[in-house]
């Protein structure tokens, strides 16, 4: 078999090719291509930032070729095969072409950060950002990637009650390359005391020869998988184990490596009280000898691995019931971690090198989940079920690929990043029910027809309920002058001073104990751990009422009435966990209230 797919995407703001807003403001050192025209990004400490979309145009082509061979023999069903994938991507994406300017209140309020002071806006009115950054270029690029895999598996029916499925898969995924060699990485010393740009195929002073993709191939991706099904009386026991590799990292890595000098423009400039930045010419003081590359990756980067194991036992009970208990575990290794090795608590570590992000594959994670369920099969017009799941998830990098995510607060203390996973919901309850209303043909009442039967007959009512305990949040500091001075914003956590974080009676105006946190002293990292604040619970009750009306043998009309949040109960959304925000500790949003919709579908 073989398939060829092509996708095209375009993204631009309303000013592109129309009005150069940033240029009209006399800002120098930014992109001048009409494709990039628009409004610069403005970041403040005490209120929401102003940010427009990043312009991009992209055409992706993918070729898939595969062959599968199958051989049934006795109690075995053996399958084997191979797959090959080729990717071509022609694109232009400028992450920050109009510049991003951070205002902290440094010039009007000094180096300290104050909650709700609004001095950051005073700096804006004076045209004095503390930090300015820009990134654009190198124009249209051509990325190419390829991968192939081999697999074999045996579905072995060992007996009438036991089935074993075992297999293995090997994947080779080559890092993406740019057709013109316009990729740049950073070669860093082992102690991060130096960093030197290195282009595709060049040799660095610390890591030796670099391949054209600037990341060495990870060729040991062997993934065994095994599954067992065992019928025990009226119950069935199932268990399994498998390994999965993240195949999607290399594309996002390549897009970071092509957006680096000398083929692209990157720059991060920081002002001080003695030498403030100018809004119109913020990069004027940058020396030509300064290394401005803002991204690098470990050349021995490895693809993320997820080991997954599970066990489940389900059993039929009297009364058309089925009960079950299951366990799922996951261990992640070689997960993506974003570091800032050139940043110390008081400033930059490497002279002549601007702040940069360093991506590694040293992240790890664990997840354990236990679930119990009960389900009633549809009998006598009634069916439904309920399930409860308890989950515990911990990690030091909550992403499974790509360059997204939060930068580690202190590069010299990566152990402090270990904490609750941002996606964890400790408790989850789900329930659903379906009831055939007892009116109409073949039902208890109005089975003989008539007007009432035509109106009230053959309706089915269904409902589903879900409850999730709160999402974890991290107490952070935005716009701290000391953090901006070391080239970052948003990775600094608050100090935890003790006491309970959760409140017995939370309100929208104070959802958690804000007195448990404070802004760290200047030049110090925060002591609060990641994701220690648990956000609002979320629950939803939805329902629908539906029936089919037939017209002859081939025509039918389905009438369906759907309602979400049936009880119209307010459900709190996001909360503000930025310590220096004027709304710190408050609920920022409420989820949708009750909505009702009618859907008609005619089939013929």
């Amino acid at each position: 078999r073989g398939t060829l797919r092509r996708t095209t995407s375009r993204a631009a703001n309303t000013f592109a090719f129309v009005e150069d807003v940033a240029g009209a403001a006399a800002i120098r050192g930014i992109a001048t291509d009409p494709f990039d025209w628009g409004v610069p990004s403005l970041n403040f400490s005490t209120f929401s930032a102003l940010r427009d979309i990043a312009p991009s145009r992209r055409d992706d082509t993918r070729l898939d070729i595969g062959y599968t061979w199958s051989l049934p023999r006795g109690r075995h069903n053996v399958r084997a095969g191979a797959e090959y994938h080729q990717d071509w991507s022609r694109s232009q994406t400028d992450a920050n072409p109009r510049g991003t300017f951070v205002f902290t209140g440094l010039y009007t309020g000094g180096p300290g950060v104050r909650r709700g002071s609004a001095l950051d806006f005073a700096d804006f009115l004076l045209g004095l950002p503390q930090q300015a950054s820009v990134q654009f270029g190198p124009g249209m690029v051509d990325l190419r990637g390829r991968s192939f895999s081999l697999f074999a598996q045996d579905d072995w029916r060992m007996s009438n009650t036991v089935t074993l499925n075992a297999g293995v898969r090997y994947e080779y995924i080559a890092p993406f390359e740019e057709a013109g060699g316009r990729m740049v990485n950073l070669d860093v010393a082992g102690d991060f005391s130096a960093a030197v740009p290195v282009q595709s195929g060049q040799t660095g002073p610390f890591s030796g020869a670099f391949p054209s993709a600037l990341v060495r191939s990870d060729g040991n991706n062997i993934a065994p998988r095994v599954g067992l099904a065992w019928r025990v009386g009226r119950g069935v026991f199932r268990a399994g184990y498998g390994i999965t590799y993240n195949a999607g990292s290399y594309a996002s890595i390549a897009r970071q490596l092509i957006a680096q000098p000398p083929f692209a423009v990157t720059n991060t400039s920081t002002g001080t009280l003695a030498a403030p930045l100018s809004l119109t010419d913020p990069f004027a003081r940058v020396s030509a000898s300064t290394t401005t590359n803002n991204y690098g990756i470990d050349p021995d980067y490895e693809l993320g691995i997820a080991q997954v194991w599970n066990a489940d036992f389900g059993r039929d009970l009297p009364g058309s019931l089925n009960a079950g208990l299951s366990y799922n575990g996951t261990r992640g290794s070689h997960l993506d971690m974003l570091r800032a090795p050139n940043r110390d608590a008081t400033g930059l570590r490497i002279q002549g090198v601007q702040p940069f992000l360093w991506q590694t594959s040293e992240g790890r994670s664990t997840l354990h989940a236990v679930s119990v369920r009960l389900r009633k099969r549809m009998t006598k017009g009634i069916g439904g079920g309920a399930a409860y799941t308890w989950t515990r998830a911990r990690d030091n990098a909550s992403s499974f690929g790509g360059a997204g995510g939060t930068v580690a607060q202190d590069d010299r203390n990566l152990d402090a990043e270990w904490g609750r996973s941002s996606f964890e919901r400790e408790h989850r309850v789900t329930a659903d029910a379906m009831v055939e209303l007892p009116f109409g043909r073949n039902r208890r009442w109005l089975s003989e027809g008539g007007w009432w039967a035509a109106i009230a007959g053959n309706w089915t009512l269904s409902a589903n309920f879900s409850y999730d305990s709160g999402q974890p949040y991290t107490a952070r500091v935005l716009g701290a002058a000391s953090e901006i001075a070391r080239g970052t914003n948003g990775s600094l956590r608050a100090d935890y001073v003790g006491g309970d974080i959760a409140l017995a009676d939370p309100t929208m105006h104070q959802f958690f104990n804000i007195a448990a946190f404070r802004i760290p002293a200047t030049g110090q990292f925060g002591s609060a751990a990641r994701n220690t604040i648990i956000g609002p619970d979320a629950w939803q009750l939805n329902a629908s009422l539906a029936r089919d009306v037939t017209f002859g043998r081939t025509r039918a009309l389905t009438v369906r009435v759907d309602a979400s949040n049936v009880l119209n109960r307010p459900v709190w959304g996001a909360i503000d966990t930025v310590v220096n925000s004027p709304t710190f500790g408050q609920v920022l949003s409420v989820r949708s209230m009750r909505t009702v919709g009618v859907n008609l579908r005619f089939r013929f």
Side-chain angles (χ1 to χ4, degrees):
R1 61 176 175 84
T3 59
L4 182 66
R5 292 174 291 175
R6 182 178 177 86
T7 60
T8 299
S9 63
R10 300 287 187 271
N13 63 55
T14 56
F15 297 102
F17 301 99
V18 176
E19 184 177 0
D20 185 6
V21 179
I27 301 176
R28 290 184 286 274
I30 60 175
T32 58
D33 187 338
F35 170 72
D36 296 316
W37 284 357
V39 180
S41 299
L42 306 178
N43 287 347
F44 299 90
S45 304
T46 55
F47 56 92
S48 298
L50 172 67
R51 185 181 301 275
D52 210 337
I53 62 175
S56 77
R57 41 193 173 194
R58 180 170 164 181
D59 297 307
D60 293 324
T61 303
R62 183 177 179 87
L63 172 65
D64 298 317
I65 300 175
Y67 179 79
T68 301
W69 172 78
S70 180
L71 177 63
R73 176 166 292 183
R75 292 180 175 269
H76 295 266
N77 185 14
V78 179
R79 297 175 67 246
E83 298 174 345
Y84 176 79
H85 309 283
Q86 181 72 49
D87 293 282
W88 298 270
S89 179
R90 180 173 172 80
S91 65
Q92 178 181 357
T93 301
D94 294 330
N96 184 19
R98 301 174 293 273
T100 295
F101 301 88
V102 181
F103 299 90
T104 64
L106 171 68
Y107 306 108
T108 53
V113 60
R114 301 166 181 80
R115 182 183 173 201
S117 64
L119 294 175
D120 50 353
F121 192 70
D123 279 2
F124 167 70
L125 294 177
L126 295 174
L128 298 175
Q130 188 187 350
Q131 185 188 87
S133 60
V134 69
Q135 181 172 3
F136 60 91
M140 294 297 292
V141 296
D142 292 290
L143 293 176
R144 300 172 183 177
R146 68 187 188 281
S147 64
F148 72 85
S149 61
L150 304 171
F151 71 90
Q153 71 176 51
D154 182 14
D155 195 5
W156 179 17
R157 194 171 297 275
M158 301 175 64
S159 68
N160 292 335
T161 59
V162 179
T163 299
L164 179 67
N165 184 287
V168 63
R169 183 181 183 91
Y170 171 75
E171 294 180 313
Y172 174 80
I173 307 168
F176 275 72
E177 302 176 6
E178 205 280 316
R182 293 175 294 176
M183 302 176 74
V184 184
N185 199 356
L186 286 171
D187 187 22
V188 300
D191 59 356
F192 293 104
S193 59
V196 179
V198 58
Q199 299 179 23
S200 296
Q202 290 184 342
T203 299
F206 309 111
S207 304
F210 280 73
S212 56
L214 294 174
V215 178
R216 299 183 179 99
S217 299
D218 181 11
N220 60 347
N221 302 324
I222 300 176
R225 297 174 186 178
V226 62
L228 172 71
W230 178 21
R231 181 171 293 279
V232 186
R234 299 182 63 183
V236 177
F237 173 77
R238 294 182 174 87
Y241 171 82
I243 293 178
T244 301
Y245 292 89
N246 178 30
S249 293
Y250 285 142
S252 60
I253 290 170
R255 297 186 190 284
Q256 294 283 337
L257 295 175
I258 61 176
Q260 300 297 316
F263 305 110
V265 174
T266 64
N267 220 321
T268 301
S269 189
T270 304
T272 64
L273 281 171
L277 290 184
S278 164
L279 181 62
T280 57
D281 199 6
F283 310 111
R285 299 199 310 267
V286 178
S287 169
S289 62
T290 299
T291 298
T292 62
N293 301 63
N294 60 10
Y295 172 82
I297 184 169
D298 184 351
D300 293 318
Y301 172 89
E302 297 183 59
L303 294 174
I305 303 174
Q307 299 182 66
V308 180
W309 57 94
N310 57 75
D312 178 270
F313 181 74
R315 190 180 190 280
D316 289 334
L317 303 175
S320 302
L321 295 175
N322 180 276
L325 176 68
S326 64
Y327 164 79
N328 290 275
T330 302
R331 173 172 293 172
S333 55
H334 300 308
L335 303 183
D336 291 82
M337 175 174 280
L338 287 182
R339 300 173 54 179
N342 192 23
R343 306 170 190 174
D344 213 339
T346 56
L348 300 182
R349 295 171 57 188
I350 309 174
Q351 186 175 0
V353 177
Q354 287 190 347
F356 63 88
L357 295 181
W358 183 250
Q359 185 173 345
T360 68
S361 52
E362 56 193 311
R364 56 191 176 91
S365 69
T366 62
L367 180 145
H368 302 280
V370 178
S371 178
V372 59
R373 65 185 183 276
L374 181 67
R375 176 156 292 278
K376 182 186 183 302
R377 291 185 291 274
M378 196 76 176
T379 56
K380 298 182 180 181
I382 299 176
Y388 165 76
T389 303
W390 172 85
T391 302
R392 178 184 175 89
R394 299 292 184 268
D395 62 45
N396 58 6
S398 296
S399 64
F400 191 65
T406 302
V407 181
Q409 175 185 234
D410 182 1
D411 194 72
R412 300 187 184 186
N413 185 18
L414 296 179
D415 290 340
E417 298 303 305
W418 183 259
R420 190 189 302 264
S421 300
S422 59
F423 55 81
E424 182 196 82
R425 304 293 185 274
E426 186 174 6
H427 304 286
R428 177 172 175 80
V429 178
T430 60
D432 65 273
M434 179 176 290
V435 179
E436 294 178 346
L437 300 185
F439 308 106
R441 188 178 300 277
N442 300 323
R443 301 190 183 182
R444 184 172 183 179
W445 291 304
L446 303 179
S447 60
E448 302 300 324
W451 285 103
W452 283 110
I455 296 172
N458 302 317
W459 287 93
T460 299
L461 175 65
S462 60
N464 61 79
F465 170 82
S466 65
Y467 164 83
D468 290 281
S469 56
Q471 171 185 350
Y473 290 84
T474 300
R476 301 182 299 134
V477 181
L478 287 181
S482 58
E483 189 182 24
I484 300 301
R486 63 191 186 98
T488 190
N489 187 15
S491 67
L492 181 65
R493 298 196 288 269
D495 267 343
Y496 173 62
V497 298
D500 293 333
I501 297 175
L503 295 176
D505 187 21
T507 67
M508 289 191 67
H509 297 290
Q510 187 172 348
F511 182 79
F512 59 89
N513 179 20
I514 62 175
F517 301 98
R518 69 183 178 194
I519 299 167
T522 302
Q524 299 294 319
F525 292 115
S527 61
R530 292 174 53 241
N531 294 325
T532 56
I533 302 172
I534 305 302
D537 298 344
W539 70 272
Q540 186 89 359
L541 176 62
N542 304 325
S544 66
L545 190 65
R547 69 167 292 186
D548 289 332
V549 181
T550 58
F551 302 93
R553 296 182 178 179
T554 61
R555 292 175 295 175
L557 176 68
T558 298
V559 182
R560 186 180 183 94
V561 181
D562 295 303
S564 62
N565 194 3
V566 174
L567 301 180
N568 206 33
R569 182 180 182 274
V571 179
W572 294 340
I575 58 176
D576 189 350
T577 60
V578 177
V579 183
N580 53 312
S581 168
T583 56
F584 177 53
Q586 298 181 18
V587 177
L588 298 179
S589 64
V590 178
R591 302 190 182 188
S592 298
M593 302 302 288
R594 179 171 55 217
T595 60
V596 180
V598 179
N599 180 277
L600 302 176
R601 182 181 181 185
F602 183 67
R603 304 188 301 275
F604 59 93

